[in-house]
Amino acid sequence: MIDIDDLPSLYTAYRNRWADRDERIALIDAVVAGELTNFGPDDEEVENRAPNVIGVAIEDTAEAAAYMPTIRAKPLKLTKQAQQQASKTERICAGYVERAGGELWNIRSIMDCVQYGLMAGWAAWDSELEMPVIEHRDARTVYPEPDWRPGSNLKRAMIARKVRLSQLDSDVQARVEEAAGSKSQTLHQKLNEEVTLVEYHDCHESLVAILYYTGPSSSTQQSGNYIPVLLERIPNELGVCQVVVEQRITPDGEPRGQFDQVIRPLLAYQRLQGMALDYADQAVYSDLYVIDPIGPIPEGGGGVIQLGPNGKIGRVPPAVSSLSLFQELAQLMDAIHLGGRWPKSRPGEIAQSQASAKFLESSVGMMNTAIKTLHLIFKRFGEKLLRICLTMDHKLSKPGARTMAGVLRNQQFLEEYNPTVDIDPRVKVDLVYGLGLGREPAQSAVLHIQYHQLGAISLRTVMESIEGLTDIERELRQLDVEKFETMALSKLMQGVESGALPDEALVAIAKARQNGKSLIDVFEEFVVKPQQEAAATQVQSGLGQGLLPPGPAPGAPGAGGMPVPPPPAAPDLIAQLSSPAGGPGNFIGSRATSG
């Protein structure tokens, strides 16, 4: 258990460990916000008139990589009960992801990784919902333990961010004022003053405190000038740190964003672009010079300037830029695209009038490899958080049934489960990208369709990867209904064309459809029911078990009440085979010939 008095020095030590990272984060933030000042050759500030390519590329890369993986749980045994438990675990984890924000949580985490080289999250217990929740943590505010290595499980972490006193509850403000004592006599007048909200998490507890700085204003604040105010201690019953941090793979192991190395080329591009536009302004609005004027120089149209004997008037010739300026601008833009692994095809910069599919595939190759790495990082990141949530739900939940709702593999579900019975933390949970690994959603959808056409995957698998679907079973039923409706329409058209359906039926069918009657109901009325009525009017024959045409039955009274004679008996063909036919010497099948 950490002593609250040791928190200021611990906070200072963590910040010193990550000082270089914080500088890189501040630099990339200034670039994305457009607040990084650029100076020209004469040390004058150059107005930024160029697009913020890095800011656009960060957002585009994160949104392209935000392909939400599906959740798979591996059963501990091959029994039916273990498989049902694994299936239930998948839906429970999908509910955790849904409450975390789903795809929006995915985009925000990947954007942090692209911009800062880190993504962070916290699995917390919500006492009101009585269930674990996944919360996104701003990567700029997270300080992992000093001996943490990328890919390893986190044991200690500190989360620190600046907040204003006015954002805190009134009782917290009173506690800060009480702890500060005489040094904060005017604290109630400084509600806009910033304090540091610190969260410390390890395998034993989570601590929340306020650090109030009382020293002189400077960028290097010392630990001795902080007054700690403890807000809450939360014991950790899991035995693992509930904060998860993952990092981009870098050669030196330091967290670096994907576009850190192209900041300087972007600044050079913005500087040259701004100066080139200044040259263009001078060509249109060149400065006016007047030598030996008489009296004041009037301004505006219609003014007359009087000159002395040595007077002269003219315009300053504009500066002429070098012909290599545009080549240099193009080279700088190429360096930004190459160093940031953001192809020119993303914003539509393709120099060919017609681009083949192979050309487009090769042009986005670098971005696909970057997306693949981001997918693998988020896969490990999400699996760790889900494992903590399952353990927390199993240990901290009260016995009893509860309901979890969400969408898993594009299928809505409403799952009822008992956390203490249905959850086994030993079940292995995987986030699976499948064919979408290293691809944006549009590319993944095309690849799934191609594999389905080749017969390699099923239609259900394709539908599970299509964004926007939430009920696959309903879509599959609707597809079947559409096929039957097509068959019914085909039979109706065939009946009309062949004359089996009269022209009156054609008119009635058209009016029924205009009135909103379904195609299946129309088919039933004009085809199925007439067939059933025709079959009901036929009589079953006792000889061949067939149907006789309508009319009086054999032996029944005919017209006028007279009995109808029964049909002649069928000839005995077996007996006739050995009997003379038509006279002596003739048999069935024989033919008389003249000699």
Side-chain angles (χ1 to χ4, degrees), residues 265-376:
L266 176 64
L267 294 179
Y269 177 83
Q270 292 177 344
R271 172 183 170 185
L272 288 180
Q273 186 74 23
M275 297 175 67
L277 291 177
D278 286 339
Y279 295 154
D281 289 342
Q282 293 177 18
V284 179
Y285 305 103
S286 58
D287 295 333
L288 180 71
Y289 70 88
V290 179
I291 299 176
D292 193 15
I294 298 176
I297 300 176
E299 296 181 359
V304 178
I305 302 176
Q306 296 182 1
L307 302 178
N310 298 322
K312 188 177 181 181
I313 187 173
R315 290 191 176 274
V316 179
V320 180
S321 62
S322 173
L323 295 178
S324 63
L325 172 64
F326 299 101
Q327 296 179 357
E328 294 171 355
L329 289 173
Q331 291 175 357
L332 286 172
M333 185 57 65
D334 291 340
I336 295 172
H337 283 285
L338 178 63
R341 303 168 72 184
W342 191 58
K344 287 186 175 181
S345 60
R346 293 301 300 179
E349 298 179 19
I350 300 177
Q352 297 184 3
S353 58
Q354 292 183 352
S356 63
K358 189 64 178 177
F359 168 77
L360 292 177
E361 182 180 356
S362 60
S363 64
V364 299
M366 290 190 305
M367 187 171 183
N368 284 347
T369 55
I371 290 177
K372 180 179 180 181
T373 302
L374 293 172
H375 284 175
L376 294 176

Side-chain angles (χ1 to χ4, degrees), residues 406-408 410-414 470-472:
V407 178
L408 177 63
N410 288 349
Q411 180 61 54
Q412 293 177 339
F413 66 86
L414 188 64
T470 57
D471 195 340
I472 293 181

Side-chain angles (χ1 to χ4, degrees), residues 466-533:
I466 298 177
E467 290 187 333
L469 296 181
T470 57
D471 195 340
I472 293 181
E473 294 297 335
R474 181 186 61 187
E475 295 298 330
L476 291 175
R477 291 194 301 268
Q478 187 62 29
L479 288 174
D480 293 339
V481 170
E482 289 178 356
K483 293 178 182 177
F484 287 117
E485 288 179 345
T486 303
M487 295 175 61
L489 180 61
S490 177
K491 288 190 175 184
L492 286 172
M493 297 294 292
Q494 183 179 1
V496 172
E497 293 176 356
S498 64
L501 292 177
D503 294 339
E504 298 82 6
L506 175 62
V507 176
I509 291 173
K511 290 183 177 180
R513 290 292 291 151
Q514 288 178 352
N515 294 330
K517 200 168 188 179
S518 68
L519 193 60
I520 297 299
D521 292 340
V522 171
F523 185 81
E524 182 182 12
E525 179 180 352
F526 290 93
V527 177
V528 177
K529 288 183 178 180
Q531 291 178 352
Q532 293 176 348
E533 293 173 357

Side-chain angles (χ1 to χ4, degrees), residues 179-245:
S182 59
K183 297 181 180 180
S184 181
Q185 294 179 357
T186 60
L187 182 62
H188 62 282
Q189 301 175 355
K190 301 179 181 179
L191 292 181
N192 288 328
E193 186 178 357
E194 288 186 339
V195 295
T196 304
L197 178 62
V198 176
E199 303 173 23
Y200 177 80
H201 304 274
D202 59 18
C203 300
H204 307 289
E205 67 171 351
S206 294
L207 180 146
V208 183
I210 292 290
L211 294 181
Y212 180 73
Y213 185 69
T214 59
S217 177
S218 63
S219 59
T220 57
Q221 297 176 350
Q222 302 297 324
S223 60
N225 294 325
Y226 283 108
I227 298 178
V229 180
L230 179 63
L231 301 182
E232 188 177 10
R233 283 185 185 271
I234 307 173
N236 186 349
E237 302 179 13
L238 305 181
V240 296
C241 184
Q242 297 170 207
V243 177
V244 176
V245 177

